Amino acid sequence: MNLYLRYFDRETLVATVDEAIAFLSSIEEIGMNPVLEADIREYAASDVYYPKRYKVRTRVYFIIIKTEAASMQDFKDKKAVHAGMVAGGTKPASPALIRLNEERPGWYEGMIDFKRVLMVPGTGKFQYRDTQFIANVKAESGMDCYNRIVDYLRDRVDERSQFPSAKGKNFKFRFLGLAK
């Protein structure tokens, strides 16, 4: 695993953390210190593959990116994508999305948090209220469970109510089994 570092027009691709720290120490404005050095070592040792940005002063940063590129040209050409990426350079489907679309007929418990439009009795005006709905549904997959719950709710709540995406954190489901 190599590290790509950039500070304005100064950039490098290094193979070790010590080389990265030496590069950053050569840049006077960065002001390398033991705390920064420890944080860089921790980032390099971690499983995190997102770029890391460090603040030098107001609106001025340097970045570190983990890469499997062997040379600077490979990095610039994006030839060495992380092993978690697909050959085309796109991210693979997350495990939650795979589970959502997995065909597994049976009973599901689905929980959806949505914005329901309700009338305020005293004023006659309408407002959005966070509402949680939980149902046991016979479905083919997690996505089918979501669709059945939303279809059920659309017929019973104000049409201005807002439903979250099935892929978001406001929809959860659990496979209960084949028979209920």
Side-chain angles (χ1 to χ4, degrees), residues 26-59:
S26 70
I27 302 171
E28 196 172 304
E29 301 93 53
I30 290 178
M32 181 58 71
N33 59 48
V35 174
L36 181 60
E37 181 178 339
D39 194 52
I40 292 170
R41 288 185 188 281
E42 183 181 324
Y43 169 72
S46 72
D47 292 335
V48 175
Y49 284 93
Y50 295 105
K52 181 97 179 199
R53 182 172 81 157
Y54 292 93
K55 188 173 189 174
V56 176
R57 60 182 184 276
T58 307
R59 295 190 303 249

Side-chain angles (χ1 to χ4, degrees), residues 114 116-118 133 148-159 161 163:
F114 68 103
R116 183 176 185 177
V117 174
L118 294 171
F133 182 79
R148 288 174 187 246
I149 289 173
V150 170
D151 288 344
Y152 176 84
L153 289 171
R154 283 194 197 279
D155 294 339
R156 288 163 178 80
V157 297
D158 191 296
E159 68 270 357
S161 297
F163 298 100

Side-chain angles (χ1 to χ4, degrees), residues 1-2 13 49 66-71 74-75 80-84:
M1 181 67 49
N2 293 327
L13 186 72
Y49 284 93
K66 289 183 181 180
T67 181
E68 294 178 7
S71 68
D74 286 349
F75 179 78
V81 286
H82 178 259

Side-chain angles (χ1 to χ4, degrees), residues 83-153:
M85 303 289 238
V86 182
T90 59
K91 291 185 179 180
S94 71
L97 290 180
I98 291 171
R99 234 185 50 153
L100 183 68
N101 293 316
E102 178 184 18
E103 291 286 327
R104 194 171 177 190
W107 285 92
Y108 288 82
E109 178 186 64
M111 182 181 76
I112 188 168
D113 295 324
F114 68 103
K115 301 280 187 187
R116 183 176 185 177
V117 174
L118 294 171
M119 185 175 74
V120 178
T123 63
K125 294 185 179 182
F126 293 89
Q127 70 179 21
Y128 286 102
R129 288 254 171 94
D130 290 331
T131 305
Q132 185 176 73
F133 182 79
I134 301 172
N136 290 342
V137 180
K138 191 168 188 179
E140 301 293 317
S141 66
M143 190 65 188
D144 188 35
C145 172
Y146 170 83
N147 290 333
R148 288 174 187 246
I149 289 173
V150 170
D151 288 344
Y152 176 84
L153 289 171

